[in-house]
Amino acid sequence: MKALVYHGQKDVRYESVVEPSDIGPREVRLKVKYAGLCHTDFNEYLHGPLFIARTPHPRTGRSIPLVIGHEFSGEVVEIGNKVRRIQVGDRVAVNAVDSCGQCTFCRRGTPALCASVAYIGFARDGGFAEFTVVPEECCFRLGSEMSFQTGALVEPLAVALHAVKQARVRIGSRAAIVGGGAVGLCVLQALRATGARDVLLIDRVEAKEPFARRLGASAFLNPSDPNLLRTVHELTEGMGVDVAFECVGSATAMRTAVEVTSGGGTICVVGIFPAPFEFDFNLLLMQEKNIVTSLGYSDEFPTVIAMLADGRLEAGPLITRTVSLAEGVEIGLNRYEDVGGTNIRTLISIESSSD
């Protein structure tokens, strides 16, 4: 079968690999339908390996070279002999957190913090392939009316909903999002769906404004505007926002998130940072601002699927480009930033990729 295989920095290859045939008793084999190309994948391509296993993972034994892709949907074509919840023919979205299920973190309901977590697409083969094998626990059924394209966007929407939960957003809160990419726009939707009063979207790419407005932003602001803080205060009765979400992964975006947040407010870090940076914690201390972080998700997949089904969340406006698996490197990765703000989420169509 064909797959996109990560061999190292700026070295992802479209190549033939052995189709997975052996499945464990609690695993399922999927025919992958669609997979989302995440900014994290691009960071791995450009700056990695960052999170992809460089040496054999203690639980999976896998390391580079590895099939990447952690946002995907597919059809179940085979199940292990101890699988009970999933059946052949089920249409599923895949939760990329493969946890041990036994450690303290797993028992607490925080599988992303599992001591031996093996992220799909990072420590075991992922979704940029025609077929893949994943644990039954990572599969969540899609309704018959939900498309596989939408199913591939369940993962980033789960990231967003988890971030809103981590930030403990209250009904009626004012919020800001720094970064209007796919995750930022997913956070925007999650905030609106959970009762935020106003949501300001801050991004330097003007082409993202129509997406932000379409999905419910009350204002679109440019972080380079010298009057940014004055405008934020004018829009928030002189206070600043109650909560800000850093969805970029940069020192500049982090500082912006802190500055637009009111005294006693909360900054939730969602972006992945490719490198360390210096930060003045007095910016937090002097106004008792709080900082929380959000990594992945825990139990949000069923909720996201239900919210997509009833219209509280939308995947369609996020899908702006579809390429074949064969085009994944040349068009998907090498030209990732060429289309700027007009591209929010590229989907890779696996079915159109067979030779």
Side-chain angles (χ1 to χ4, degrees):
M1 69 173 185
K2 294 294 187 180
L4 296 185
V5 183
Y6 185 95
H7 289 265
Q9 187 178 109
K10 295 186 179 179
D11 187 9
V12 174
R13 307 173 195 174
Y14 173 67
E15 59 187 21
S16 295
V17 299
V18 176
E19 183 176 319
S21 56
D22 295 333
I23 64 172
R26 300 185 187 279
E27 293 181 326
V28 304
R29 189 162 70 101
L30 299 180
K31 180 176 177 60
V32 182
K33 298 292 186 175
Y34 284 88
L37 182 59
C38 177
H39 191 75
T40 302
D41 297 314
F42 179 68
N43 266 340
E44 291 288 350
Y45 175 70
L46 198 62
H47 306 291
L50 300 172
F51 302 104
I52 294 178
R54 301 168 183 246
T55 57
H57 187 275
R59 201 152 57 77
T60 67
R62 295 302 314 281
S63 61
I64 298 169
L66 198 73
V67 177
I68 54 175
H70 59 278
E71 302 177 0
F72 59 100
S73 62
E75 179 183 353
V76 178
V77 295
E78 186 181 359
I79 63 174
N81 59 21
K82 292 187 177 180
V83 171
R84 299 291 180 266
R85 188 174 57 84
I86 298 296
Q87 300 177 351
V88 171
D90 280 350
R91 307 162 70 257
V92 299
V94 176
N95 177 324
V97 180
D98 173 16
S99 60
C100 74
Q102 304 298 322
C103 70
T104 300
F105 289 113
C106 288
R107 294 197 303 270
R108 287 177 180 172
T110 54
L113 305 182
C114 170
S116 61
V117 65
Y119 287 100
I120 297 171
F122 296 91
R124 60 182 295 161
D125 286 327
F128 291 155
E130 295 178 79
F131 293 90
T132 193
V133 172
V134 300
E136 173 192 19
E137 289 77 12
C138 293
C139 294
F140 291 84
R141 288 192 189 91
L142 304 172
S144 58
E145 74 290 343
M146 190 173 294
S147 70
F148 283 113
Q149 293 97 321
T150 294
L153 271 295
V154 171
E155 198 270 357
L157 284 163
V159 169
L161 188 59
H162 184 70
V164 170
K165 290 166 64 177
Q166 285 287 95
R168 294 176 174 83
V169 175
R170 298 179 179 179
I171 294 174
S173 294
R174 289 188 168 103
I177 300 166
V178 184
V183 170
L185 293 175
C186 287
V187 171
L188 167 58
Q189 293 192 64
L191 284 167
R192 283 305 196 187
T194 52
R197 173 181 174 184
D198 295 306
V199 184
L200 316 179
L201 199 293
I202 302 173
D203 196 290
R204 65 181 68 256
V205 181
E206 293 182 1
K208 292 178 180 176
E209 182 171 5
F211 297 96
R213 296 289 188 182
R214 163 71 176 77
L215 294 171
S218 47
F220 185 89
L221 307 174
N222 192 317
S224 301
D225 183 349
N227 296 315
L228 173 65
L229 295 184
R230 180 189 302 173
T231 302
V232 170
H233 281 84
E234 288 174 352
L235 294 170
T236 57
E237 299 176 349
M239 292 294 295
V241 298
D242 302 301
V243 58
F245 294 82
E246 197 287 338
C247 296
V248 178
S250 78
T252 301
M254 183 65 187
R255 187 179 182 93
T256 298
V258 172
E259 289 176 341
V260 301
T261 303
S262 68
T266 297
I267 299 94
C268 182
V269 180
V270 188
I272 301 293
F273 295 84
F277 63 92
E278 292 186 357
F279 180 77
D280 182 3
F281 275 85
N282 286 329
L283 295 173
L284 302 172
L285 175 66
M286 299 308 291
Q287 289 190 304
E288 289 192 341
K289 296 182 183 181
N290 306 288
I291 186 165
V292 299
T293 60
S294 183
L295 176 67
Y297 29 79
S298 52
D299 58 356
E300 287 81 12
F301 264 61
T303 303
V304 167
I305 291 171
M307 294 172 79
L308 284 165
D310 66 19
R312 284 175 290 171
L313 298 176
E314 295 183 80
L318 304 173
I319 302 169
T320 50
R321 188 170 60 160
T322 302
V323 301
S324 69
L325 187 61
E327 298 170 320
V329 177
E330 180 57 31
I331 296 179
L333 288 169
N334 287 336
R335 303 181 191 173
Y336 185 86
E337 294 182 323
D338 287 356
V339 287
T342 61
N343 179 46
I344 301 302
R345 180 57 93 236
T346 294
L347 281 192
I348 293 181
S349 174
I350 310 298
E351 285 195 310
S352 67
S353 302
S354 300
D355 289 343

